[in-house]
Amino acid sequence: MSANLVLVVVVGVLFAAGVYLLLERSLTRVLVGVILIGNGVNTLFLVASGPAGRAPIVGLNDVDDMSDPLPQALVLTAIVITLGVTAFLLAMAYRAWQLNGNDEVQDDVEDAAIRRRAELDEVSSSYDDSAGGTMDEEGADEPAAVASSPDGDPAAVGPEGEQR
Amino acid sequence: MSASVLVPLPVILPLFGAGLALALGRSARAQRVVSVVVLALMVAIAAVLLVRADADGPQVMHVGGWEAPLGISLVADRLSALMLLVSAIVALCVLVYSLSQGLVEYGPDTPLSIYHPTFLILVAGVANAFLSGDLFNLYVGFEILLAASYVLLTLGGTADRIRAGSTYVVVSLASSIVFLTALALVYAATGTVSMAQLAGRLDELPDGVALLLQLMLLTAFAIKAAVFPLSAWLPDSYPTAPAPVTAVFAGLLTKVGVYAIIRTQTLLFPDSPLSDALLWAALLTMVIGILGAVAQDDLKRMLSFTLVSHIGYMVFGVALATDDGLSGAIYYVVHHIVIQTNLFLVAGLIERRGGSTSLERLGGLARLSPVLALLFFVPAMNLAGIPPFSGFLGKLGLMQAGVDDGSWLAYVLVAGSVVTSLLTLYAMAKAWNRAFWQPPSSEELSSEAEAAGATTDLHGKPVRTDGAVLTGKAAVVMRAGMAGPAAALLAVGVALTVFAGPLFGLTDRAAADLRERTPYIEAVLPGGAP
């Protein structure tokens, strides 16, 4: 099978640009990335179908000269699906913008809460261990030193932990 | 072969029902009737298909009369028909549950008119994925169910659901793109997407090319199935959806990914060079998933993590690639679809009764509602794998397959699965103790009343609970329509134990078919691959 080099390069560029955009935080950019990759995949299907031939209509052209019609049918389906998903993503980006004033993908709230709790644990255990005030590198900064002075109560570090 | 006429019905019926339900959007009652009738029919059809597939071999339908390598073929072999039957039962139970939930929360005349059509399309997509005989149709099935799931997950469009939805949609899109790219490469390498034909042609490819294709397909399916390095999206996105939606996602969507892994691994890549890698992935999925569950304070999130963790058991069975391993994996998939859906439905009931799913806020539910306690306790113990239940039998089957395999890695996996099931027991016992057993303090009672206001329904609007927990006057009664489906699934879970013998017989035969490959290939391509 011989592949068209230009098409292969186009596929590569579309994928590269699409992946770059997909890694962004803004939903609109993600959307553009999806569209680019979607078109990249469609072009890849054309590469997969082999060299171009004549229109695949029985009776009009000789069977040996025809291009492969199956990938074109597959691409049509893929285009329709990409269209639908794009519309949904667009609506979602708009809704996110309505709600938050931006369309950025946000961190998970619970994950952040658990991370914060883990940090609090770390700090408070260092208090318990080091009654004399020797701090690990985590808690060596100024506010921690202030918080440590009362009685090493973990609750006292609460606000400090949230600052991080 | 008369039953082959039935094969496309599980896809067509829900799609037709969805259109009808959308047209009947003004009448909530008509929509309900349509969806319940369609799903009940699907259960019946799937049961007939399973019996016929078991008796007469795979049932094949060539859509539009185009024969296999060219046209789209739908195939119901033992594995597909079994998955179809379980999914249809689960979907029916979830639908009945959500009907009742809708009734309570808005009164009879304010339904959400897109819920039923979307739900039916989701079911059609799941059925299409199970039945599809070619890879591209499998992709289409995935996209149908994903598009429906995007809508269901973001129902109401509240800030929380948009946040959870955006992660979910982008991750799903990424996996679809990987899958589609793999398809293009498969077509370029072999010139076909029909799985029966691919089974022969992939063997002839150079090892490196086949490995690349396998890796890409596995990556795409592993994202959908939430196998460990690719599972981070799941616990973030599932818990924010309404309870019945989370339940059906947890039961069905990840299992479609597992099904696709089983199908492609056995049919297309039987001598996989990746089985060691899959075993490692299974181990990490189990252990890291359950460690996440142990850390959670919220019941729904804890259940989402156990969902991730138990996917590991299925991958373990698939990676062993022995008859016993596959049989155990299939049994475990069936068990897990039922039990995980059941637990999420019960979590919805707990949210309604206790005003929250946060274990910090719940307490004393066993006294308030003994029925609810029972509904939670049985599937929770089943999930943890306490001996008489199906979870135990499935795990035992997998562990035996692992011991029979005999390699040191298989022994590590067996040890890992024991640890995982003990930790599952710990997580479930923790949830049970805190939500049901420990008495609520007075401070918690007042916070429960406040939390009750924060509970949201299908629309994302607050549910009116009228401080029921606080006064104990049971303003929130358990609706029979909600407790009923949960109880029905519990009964199905128990039935999996009672009929474990025949069921294991069936999964053994299904696994033997998968390993042998020829029944499937000959059913789809009667004259052999051209």
Side-chain angles (χ1 to χ4, degrees):
Chain A
M1 195 193 91
S2 65
N4 185 331
L5 186 64
V6 177
L7 283 184
V8 174
V9 171
V10 167
V11 170
V13 170
L14 284 174
F15 263 83
V19 168
Y20 177 77
L21 286 171
L22 208 58
L23 297 173
E24 290 276 335
R25 279 230 147 185
S26 147
L27 269 180
T28 325
R29 285 171 194 234
V30 170
L31 176 78
V32 176
V34 168
I35 297 173
L36 285 183
I37 300 189
N39 282 315
V41 178
N42 294 343
T43 319
L44 187 61
F45 265 103
L46 289 185
V47 178
S49 72
R54 309 192 74 87
I57 302 173
V58 177
L60 197 67
N61 290 309
D62 192 30
V63 176
D64 294 336
D65 295 340
M66 289 179 186
S67 41
D68 189 352
L70 188 61
Q72 302 184 8
L74 302 185
V75 167
L76 260 180
T77 315
I79 288 174
V80 173
I81 290 171
T82 315
L83 175 76
V85 173
T86 306
F88 186 84
L89 207 54
L90 198 56
M92 209 167 66
Y94 179 68
R95 181 66 182 152
W97 175 78
Q98 265 187 336
L99 288 167
N100 308 325
N102 62 50
D103 63 349
E104 294 204 342
V105 178
Q106 293 156 46
D107 281 340
D108 186 73
V109 198
E110 292 279 335
D111 277 359
I114 288 179
R115 196 162 57 232
R116 200 158 53 232
R117 219 169 52 195
E119 273 171 12
L120 279 180
D121 273 357
E122 245 170 55
V123 174
S124 65
S125 67
S126 75
Y127 283 121
D128 294 339
D129 293 339
S130 60
T134 44
M135 307 300 298
D136 58 9
E137 73 279 13
E138 269 287 319
D141 47 350
E142 184 56 29
V146 175
S148 76
S149 45
D151 53 349
D153 179 16
V157 253
E160 187 269 332
E162 292 202 326
Q163 267 179 10
R164 301 169 172 255
Chain B
M1 291 296 280
S2 64
S4 64
V5 181
L6 292 177
V7 174
L9 284 184
V11 185
I12 297 172
L13 264 183
L15 284 179
F16 177 73
L20 198 62
L22 197 60
L24 296 171
R26 288 172 178 278
S27 160
R29 184 181 297 270
Q31 275 196 331
R32 280 184 212 127
V33 172
V34 168
S35 353
V36 171
V37 167
V38 163
L39 288 178
L41 273 177
M42 259 188 83
V43 173
I45 293 169
V48 173
L49 277 178
L50 180 59
V51 171
R52 293 305 298 265
D54 195 30
D56 308 340
Q59 305 289 315
V60 183
M61 172 82 181
H62 299 293
V63 179
W66 291 87
E67 291 298 317
L70 291 179
I72 293 171
S73 40
L74 296 176
V75 191
D77 65 347
R78 292 190 174 109
L79 174 62
S80 320
L82 181 62
M83 299 288 281
L84 202 59
L85 178 62
V86 182
S87 328
I89 292 174
V90 163
L92 181 62
C93 289
V94 172
L95 188 83
V96 173
Y97 178 98
S98 63
L99 289 184
S100 197
Q101 191 188 34
L103 262 181
V104 177
E105 282 157 16
Y106 323 102
D109 55 352
T110 53
L112 191 65
S113 64
I114 58 161
Y115 177 74
H116 288 268
T118 319
F119 191 88
L120 287 175
I121 288 177
L122 180 83
V123 174
V126 171
N128 192 17
F130 285 155
L131 290 174
S132 128
D134 66 77
L135 281 179
F136 196 81
N137 198 24
L138 182 64
Y139 165 75
V140 173
F142 269 128
E143 286 303 311
I144 295 174
L145 73 89
L146 284 178
S149 72
Y150 301 157
V151 177
L152 287 177
L153 194 71
T154 52
L155 270 182
T158 55
D160 223 18
R161 288 186 190 158
I162 293 292
R163 181 192 58 71
S166 48
T167 322
Y168 175 74
V169 172
V170 173
V171 171
S172 303
L173 276 176
S175 88
S176 296
I177 286 168
V178 175
F179 189 9
L180 194 59
T181 313
L183 275 176
L185 295 178
V186 164
Y187 193 82
T190 63
T192 182
V193 284
S194 161
M195 285 200 255
Q197 202 176 11
L198 273 176
R201 291 202 183 171
L202 280 172
D203 291 345
E204 296 159 12
L205 287 180
D207 284 350
V209 178
L211 181 64
L212 174 75
L213 296 177
Q214 185 188 8
L215 203 58
M216 287 192 75
L217 287 175
L218 261 184
T219 310
F221 299 146
I223 296 176
K224 290 178 209 286
V227 177
F228 164 63
L230 310 165
S231 62
W233 58 274
L234 190 144
D236 283 355
S237 38
Y238 277 15
T240 46
V245 171
T246 316
V248 78
F249 281 16
L252 299 184
L253 296 199
T254 49
K255 304 311 180 304
V256 181
V258 173
Y259 166 83
I261 291 179
I262 296 180
R263 179 65 79 200
T264 50
Q265 283 297 299
T266 55
L267 187 61
L268 305 184
F269 307 100
D271 307 310
S272 163
L274 289 178
S275 40
D276 276 6
L278 265 184
L279 282 173
W280 280 111
L283 179 68
L284 292 173
T285 309
M286 284 195 275
V287 174
I288 294 182
I290 202 63
L291 289 178
V294 168
Q296 295 299 321
D297 273 334
D298 182 272
L299 186 59
K300 277 178 155 183
R301 292 182 72 88
M302 178 190 279
L303 290 176
S304 302
F305 274 101
T306 62
L307 168 62
V308 172
S309 164
H310 286 232
I311 295 289
Y313 284 102
M314 301 161 211
V315 178
F316 174 30
V318 180
L320 284 177
T322 57
D323 280 356
D324 286 347
L326 279 173
S327 172
I330 297 170
Y331 183 87
Y332 206 83
V333 171
V334 171
H335 145 82
H336 198 250
I337 289 179
V338 173
I339 297 307
Q340 196 74 51
T341 311
N342 195 355
L343 278 170
F344 271 108
L345 287 185
V346 176
L349 285 172
I350 292 174
E351 186 171 22
R352 156 177 295 275
R353 195 71 180 82
S356 165
T357 51
S358 166
L359 296 176
E360 303 273 348
R361 288 176 164 169
L362 291 168
L365 278 175
R367 189 171 47 79
L368 276 173
S369 175
V371 180
L372 183 56
L374 186 70
L375 282 179
F376 179 79
F377 187 74
V378 176
M381 290 302 110
N382 200 339
L383 185 76
I386 294 297
F389 292 117
S390 55
F392 170 72
L393 298 173
K395 289 184 178 89
L396 189 66
L398 286 169
M399 285 174 197
Q400 267 175 353
V403 171
D404 288 346
D405 186 72
S407 66
W408 67 270
L409 190 53
Y411 276 108
V412 172
L413 259 291
V414 170
S417 54
V418 172
V419 170
T420 305
S421 75
L422 289 177
L423 283 173
T424 311
L425 183 62
Y426 167 72
M428 288 297 131
K430 180 176 122 181
W432 164 264
N433 279 337
R434 291 175 70 174
F436 290 93
W437 222 230
Q438 89 184 350
S441 70
S442 57
E443 181 199 352
E444 275 162 354
L445 272 176
S446 58
S447 71
E448 271 174 58
E450 165 203 330
T455 314
T456 55
D457 55 30
L458 273 179
H459 293 272
K461 291 177 197 146
V463 177
R464 298 183 303 273
T465 44
D466 304 325
V469 180
L470 190 63
T471 58
K473 280 181 184 161
V476 184
V477 280
M478 287 246 291
R479 302 276 309 186
M482 290 172 74
L489 280 178
L490 188 152
V492 174
V494 173
L496 290 181
T497 312
V498 177
F499 299 107
L503 189 57
F504 257 117
L506 180 67
T507 58
D508 281 344
R509 290 194 293 280
D513 278 0
L514 289 175
R515 289 261 291 156
E516 207 176 321
R517 298 209 286 167
T518 38
Y520 188 96
I521 298 173
E522 274 165 14
V524 180
L525 297 166

